[in-house]
Amino acid sequence: SAYRPSPEVELLSTRKISVEEAAAGLEKSLSGESGHDDGSALHVPGSALVNFRQIPNIVASLKEDWSAVREADRPEGCFVEVRGRLETHMHPCFVGERLVEGMRAAAGALLLRFSSTLRCVPLGFRSLSPAGKYAGIVGESPYVHFLIDFAAIAFRPRRGQRLLGRVRESQSQTAMGINIEILNVFNFFVHRSNVPLGMFFQEGIGWQCDGGSPGSVNEFDPSKPVWVQVVQKISEGAAQNPLSFRGVIREHVDRQQVVQPKRALAEQWKATKEGSNGRIAPVEGAGSSKRKSLPKDDEVRRLAEHTEPRPKKKKKHKQG
């Protein structure tokens, strides 16, 4: 509004960091002015407190799941340290001894949301300090205007990137698809059309597997961390909506684990050519009772006939 303008942020620098450095930086953001985790860092007024309270959960995910992955297998450039400058408009009650508290409230609006300016998702602040010694007052507005320099630990997901998460509890699951939690805070949705063969939804229990031979796609274990892959472009959300993702389960898009079941279907189609409508029954271990038939699949036919994909015919529009 005219009396309290929306804060603007400026990017100064970005540096790639490791998972361990990200966890250490977020732990530092939880320490108070004394340098110890005395809980004072979570004394934040307003709605920004909700964002700061998620930091311990993010640290737990980094230490338990991400740090357990070999460095060579981790996605590159997933975490960064970003330095920037925030234009803030602070209530005069925070001028003085409560300055740090006021800066946390102002900067907390950046947390857990993708910023198109910073090109990342700030998770926590390693440092917050005024950029200068002076502030300004505009017109009759009581708010104090000044700049905040910050250093933040940030999450930088990109389309096509692998992420590590855990399947949410059954109460958070729906028949529309699988909900997976990234860093114990972000939701990652896998639509039912991308759910691996052999999985089905059961009310009150969630997504289950039919079982199968070792090494098959049915070996998916919801109790363990799972790799997923982002398929949508990351963009800035509206208002106060937190970041969420859509994609596929990574283990089931690798050629070794997805093309092989399709090759089995291709061999069956080539041998039997059941039906004239292009529908084939799933082979044992590659499907489930919930999927009694599969739709026409050009990739299965190409694997069977070793042919190139046929170009799609352009629809002719009738001239009125």
Side-chain angles (χ1 to χ4, degrees), residues 80-246:
V80 295
E81 181 186 72
V82 59
R83 293 185 177 275
R85 186 165 290 165
L86 177 69
E87 178 184 347
T88 186
H89 317 283
M90 186 179 296
H91 194 280
C93 72
F94 295 112
V95 176
E97 295 180 356
R98 299 181 63 190
L99 179 61
V100 174
E101 185 180 347
M103 288 193 297
R104 290 195 186 113
L110 295 175
L111 296 181
L112 309 185
R113 289 163 180 82
F114 181 82
S115 170
S116 57
T117 302
L118 301 178
R119 297 190 292 274
C120 60
V121 184
L123 303 176
F125 298 102
R126 296 185 67 168
S127 65
L128 287 169
S129 61
K133 296 181 179 180
Y134 302 98
I137 298 177
V138 179
E140 298 179 354
S141 171
Y143 288 89
V144 179
H145 307 266
F146 65 100
L147 299 176
I148 297 176
D149 283 337
F150 66 85
I153 302 300
F155 182 43
R156 191 171 63 176
R158 300 181 298 276
R159 182 166 58 181
Q161 191 174 43
R162 294 182 303 123
L163 302 176
L164 190 63
R166 285 182 178 268
V167 177
R168 286 182 177 267
E169 63 278 3
S170 59
Q171 294 84 351
S172 301
Q173 300 297 340
T174 69
M176 293 299 297
I178 303 178
N179 287 302
I180 298 173
E181 201 168 39
I182 307 296
L183 293 175
N184 288 337
V185 62
F186 303 111
N187 189 69
F188 189 103
F189 181 70
V190 179
H191 192 266
R192 62 184 180 184
S193 61
N194 294 320
V195 169
L197 295 177
M199 295 193 69
F200 63 94
F201 179 79
Q202 187 172 352
E203 193 69 34
I205 299 179
W207 286 89
Q208 301 293 309
C209 300
D210 277 345
S213 58
S216 69
V217 293
N218 298 322
E219 212 176 38
F220 175 67
D221 188 356
S223 65
K224 297 180 181 179
V226 58
W227 285 105
V228 293
Q229 186 174 21
V230 182
V231 297
Q232 104 250 25
K233 181 180 179 181
I234 309 300
S235 59
E236 196 164 3
Q240 297 298 312
N241 294 333
L243 181 67
S244 61
F245 302 92
R246 283 179 175 266

Side-chain angles (χ1 to χ4, degrees), residues 241-259:
N241 294 333
L243 181 67
S244 61
F245 302 92
R246 283 179 175 266
V248 295
I249 298 175
R250 176 67 184 184
E251 281 84 348
H252 305 290
V253 297
D254 289 338
R255 291 190 61 84
Q256 184 178 0
Q257 296 189 355
V258 169
V259 176

Side-chain angles (χ1 to χ4, degrees), residues 16-92:
K16 293 182 181 179
I17 59 175
S18 64
V19 172
E20 290 76 13
E21 192 174 353
L26 290 175
E27 284 185 322
K28 183 180 179 181
S29 71
L30 293 174
S31 60
E33 298 177 55
S34 61
H36 303 286
D37 187 4
D38 53 5
S40 62
L42 297 181
H43 292 169
V44 181
S47 59
L49 175 61
V50 178
N51 296 338
F52 279 91
R53 284 182 173 175
Q54 302 302 321
I55 297 177
N57 299 329
I58 298 174
V59 173
S61 176
L62 290 174
K63 288 187 172 182
E64 295 172 12
D65 296 340
W66 290 76
S67 296
V69 179
R70 294 186 310 169
E71 190 171 353
D73 295 334
R74 297 174 185 172
E76 184 181 359
C78 209
F79 297 96
V80 295
E81 181 186 72
V82 59
R83 293 185 177 275
R85 186 165 290 165
L86 177 69
E87 178 184 347
T88 186
H89 317 283
M90 186 179 296
H91 194 280

